[in-house]
Amino acid sequence: LFRSIENKNKHMSVVLSTLQAKIAEKDNLRNLEKRIIELDETSKKIDGYFVDTSNIDTFVEYLENLGSQNNTELVVNSVDIPKNENNKIILTLSMKGGFPDIMKVISILENAPYSISFNSLYLNKNEQPSYSQILNASKTAVPNKSYWQANFSNIVLSL
């Protein structure tokens, strides 16, 4: 009878230790699953800071839409990917519009989720408005608005 009880106790001890190991393994798997989800979210956020060189047209479209949404003509003059420097795209842009509108676009670009650094920025007062500026001025009915031109070059980090 004592041996039977002793064997049962040993068996219960082994079963309990195995059960505890399985519970710990299951908890570790849950934690791992949560960490993987967090890493995926972080990876998506990080990917938002970089421009994919194979989808540069999407980024150029984003810039041009940014200009049109802020009553400016934003034109991407050139896109260069230096061969000796990895993970960089050099963009040359020009913009025409009112001074507050140009400054707003520049501020938006400085605070954009992408990693953008400005190399140079030139502002010139332009006495002659462009055709689209004349159309925008007639719609908004702002008399005697001064027009400005901005040319700038910046570096964008890429994947």
Side-chain angles (χ1 to χ4, degrees), residues 22-23 27-29 31 34 49 79 108-109 138 145 151:
K22 292 290 184 181
I23 290 172
D27 288 341
N28 287 338
L29 287 174
N31 289 336
K34 289 178 187 177
Y49 290 107
V79 177
I108 290 172
L109 285 175
S138 66
K145 185 177 181 182
N151 296 317

Side-chain angles (χ1 to χ4, degrees), residues 8-132:
K8 291 282 184 180
N9 285 342
K10 285 181 182 177
H11 180 68
M12 284 298 283
S13 176
V14 169
V15 168
L16 284 176
S17 66
T18 305
L19 183 62
Q20 287 176 345
K22 292 290 184 181
I23 290 172
E25 184 179 335
K26 189 173 182 179
D27 288 341
N28 287 338
L29 287 174
R30 283 186 196 144
N31 289 336
L32 182 64
E33 183 179 357
K34 289 178 187 177
R35 297 288 183 212
I36 289 173
I37 291 170
E38 289 175 5
L39 284 174
D40 285 342
E41 291 171 1
T42 305
S43 176
K44 288 177 185 176
K45 285 181 184 178
I46 290 173
D47 287 344
Y49 290 107
F50 300 104
V51 176
D52 188 5
T53 53
S54 62
N55 294 328
I56 192 69
D57 56 336
T58 307
F59 183 68
V60 169
E61 185 178 321
Y62 162 76
L63 292 174
E64 290 174 347
N65 287 337
L66 182 67
S68 65
Q69 290 170 356
N70 291 294
N71 299 325
T72 61
E73 276 185 48
L74 192 141
V75 177
V76 178
N77 296 331
S78 68
V79 177
D80 295 324
I81 301 172
K83 293 182 181 178
N84 56 353
E85 295 182 36
N86 292 335
N87 303 329
K88 288 186 180 180
I89 301 171
I90 299 174
L91 296 167
T92 306
L93 304 138
S94 64
M95 197 172 12
K96 294 179 183 176
F99 185 78
D101 297 330
I102 287 177
M103 293 309 292
K104 183 177 179 184
V105 171
I106 291 171
S107 175
I108 290 172
L109 285 175
E110 286 178 337
N111 297 312
Y114 300 104
S115 179
I116 300 174
S117 62
F118 285 84
N119 283 346
S120 62
L121 173 64
Y122 300 102
L123 285 171
N124 300 323
K125 189 171 184 180
N126 190 0
E127 298 298 328
Q128 297 287 336
S130 66
Y131 178 72
S132 66

